């Protein structure tokens, strides 16, 4: 389990601005604020691979990460100009008292990716897929027995938080990409 600090753009897309989106408040690039709680600060997910995205193309934008895994969640836009427009919109929202209707149009990404595995966070996924994957990593010498045991215990102990964060991130992604109409 890794916990990643969401960047401003990550908070906007995954941290609550679109999560649990009642009445489809994000439609066709328009944001309507409501009484939802403030955005999440962190995203916790299960991560099991040694490979990772080290750099992004000019149309990619990191939403969260750390020094070891700089691009845990990423958004991809149609152009560099769209990335800059999106970043400017997020900055305006954070640093401004401009009425929402003047800030309503926002360029959205066409794809959002995760290096983690939200699919592990189901009763079967964690008890079978995650445990078997981590066990195989230990058997092949990628991690120690102690790390294997700690990872399994930690995932089980934090299953509720992992479930909430993975579900929120998945639903937010689906809303942003327009899968819920």
């Amino acid at each position: 389990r890794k916990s990643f600090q969401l960047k401003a753009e990550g908070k906007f897309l995954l941290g609550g601005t679109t999560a649990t989106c009642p009445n489809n408040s994000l439609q066709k690039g328009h944001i309507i604020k409501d009484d939802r709680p403030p955005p999440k600060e962190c995203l916790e997910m299960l991560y099991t691979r040694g490979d990772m995205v080290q750099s992004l193309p000019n149309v990619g934008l990191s939403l969260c990460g750390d020094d070891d895994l700089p691009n845990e969640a990423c958004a991809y836009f149609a152009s560099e100009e769209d990335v800059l427009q999106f970043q400017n919109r997020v900055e305006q929202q954070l640093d401004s008292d401009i009425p929402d209707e003047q800030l309503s149009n926002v360029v959205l990404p066409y794809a959002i990716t995760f290096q983690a595995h939200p699919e592990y966070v189901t009763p079967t996924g964690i008890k079978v897929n995650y445990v078997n994957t981590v066990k195989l990593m230990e058997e092949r010498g990628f991690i120690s027995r102690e790390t294997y045991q700690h990872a399994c215990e930690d995932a089980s102990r934090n299953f509720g938080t992992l479930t909430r964060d993975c579900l929120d991130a998945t639903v937010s992604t689906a809303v942003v990409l327009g899968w819920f109409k």
Side-chain angles (χ1 to χ4, degrees):
R1 173 179 62 99
K2 288 186 71 101
S3 180
F4 299 95
Q5 183 75 31
L6 287 166
K7 298 176 181 179
E9 296 86 355
K11 290 177 188 177
F12 187 90
L13 292 173
L14 304 175
T17 302
T18 56
T20 61
C21 206
N23 302 321
N24 268 344
S25 58
L26 176 68
Q27 292 182 343
K28 297 181 183 170
H30 294 278
I31 301 293
I32 300 170
K33 289 191 177 181
D34 56 25
D35 59 355
R36 286 173 285 164
K40 289 182 181 190
E41 295 294 322
C42 295
L43 180 64
E44 290 192 22
M45 295 181 129
L46 294 173
Y47 176 82
T48 58
R49 296 190 308 250
D51 63 328
M52 59 196 73
V53 177
Q54 288 294 324
S55 62
L56 295 172
N58 293 337
V59 296
L61 180 64
S62 178
L63 303 176
C64 67
D66 60 20
D67 290 342
D68 296 326
L69 185 62
N71 301 301
E72 166 19 46
C74 304
Y76 296 89
F77 294 81
S79 68
E80 287 181 65
E81 181 180 317
D82 286 356
V83 172
L84 293 174
Q85 285 179 4
F86 176 76
Q87 289 176 309
N88 288 335
R89 169 58 175 85
V90 170
E91 187 176 313
Q92 286 175 338
Q93 180 189 16
L94 294 174
D95 298 335
S96 176
D97 291 330
I98 297 172
D100 289 341
E101 55 273 4
Q102 292 180 24
L103 294 175
S104 63
N105 290 328
V106 61
V107 176
L108 296 174
Y110 67 83
I112 295 175
T113 62
F114 300 93
Q115 285 284 280
H117 292 276
E119 71 275 11
Y120 283 155
V121 186
T122 66
T124 302
I126 201 162
K127 291 178 183 172
V128 178
N129 300 341
Y130 179 71
V131 170
N132 288 343
T133 299
V134 177
K135 178 66 176 164
L136 190 60
M137 291 172 72
E138 185 258 329
E139 288 173 359
R140 293 186 177 177
F142 297 120
I143 61 173
S144 68
R145 177 112 178 112
E146 293 77 28
T147 299
Y148 159 72
Q149 290 171 335
H150 174 74
C152 291
E153 290 167 5
D154 182 71
S156 180
R157 185 174 47 255
N158 292 288
F159 187 75
T161 298
L162 290 164
T163 300
R164 184 195 65 232
D165 281 11
C166 287
L167 184 58
D168 284 351
T170 302
V171 169
S172 292
T173 297
V175 169
V176 167
L177 298 178
W179 297 348
F180 296 149
K181 298 286 181 187

